[in-house]
Amino acid sequence: MSACRFRALLLENVRGLLHPEVWAEVEAHLAAAGYSVCAREFDAALLVPQRRRRVYLACFRDAEAAAAFAWPALPALRRSAEDVLDPAAAAAADL
């Protein structure tokens, strides 16, 4: 990681990354590389008919950029499989 000096990184991984021992090591390595880290878990079920929890890390070299960063608010669409497979039926149900 020290060969590349990106101003910002967006990393994605499984939620097991937040296990205390794993998270401590990941955060220590990113800090050693000069990054401030903002972490958040998102569940795809908000947007698609699938439960898929993922961890996202927004990493910044600039402390001001890290302080100014805000995670986007995701709408709770809670779509069903029927909404995706038969959009016409889902649209008719909304009427």
Side-chain angles (χ1 to χ4, degrees):
M1 177 151 348
S2 60
C4 298
R5 298 283 182 190
F6 296 107
R7 290 186 294 163
L9 301 171
L10 180 62
L11 307 173
E12 176 262 344
N13 209 302
V14 298
R15 64 189 283 206
L17 184 75
L18 296 179
H19 191 273
E21 292 87 24
V22 176
W23 175 244
E25 187 164 340
V26 169
E27 191 173 35
H29 281 283
L30 288 168
Y35 290 99
S36 297
V37 181
C38 303
R40 178 126 183 233
E41 181 181 326
F42 286 101
D43 188 349
L46 291 172
L47 304 171
V48 296
Q50 177 186 28
R51 280 198 71 91
R52 183 177 168 93
R53 293 181 180 169
R54 302 301 284 182
V55 173
Y56 291 87
L57 308 176
C59 309
F60 301 92
R61 284 202 170 279
D62 181 37
E64 286 182 36
F69 177 75
W71 291 103
L74 295 179
L77 298 178
R78 299 287 182 202
R79 299 172 67 188
S80 69
E82 184 178 344
D83 296 340
V84 175
L85 298 173
D86 191 359
D94 289 338
L95 296 177

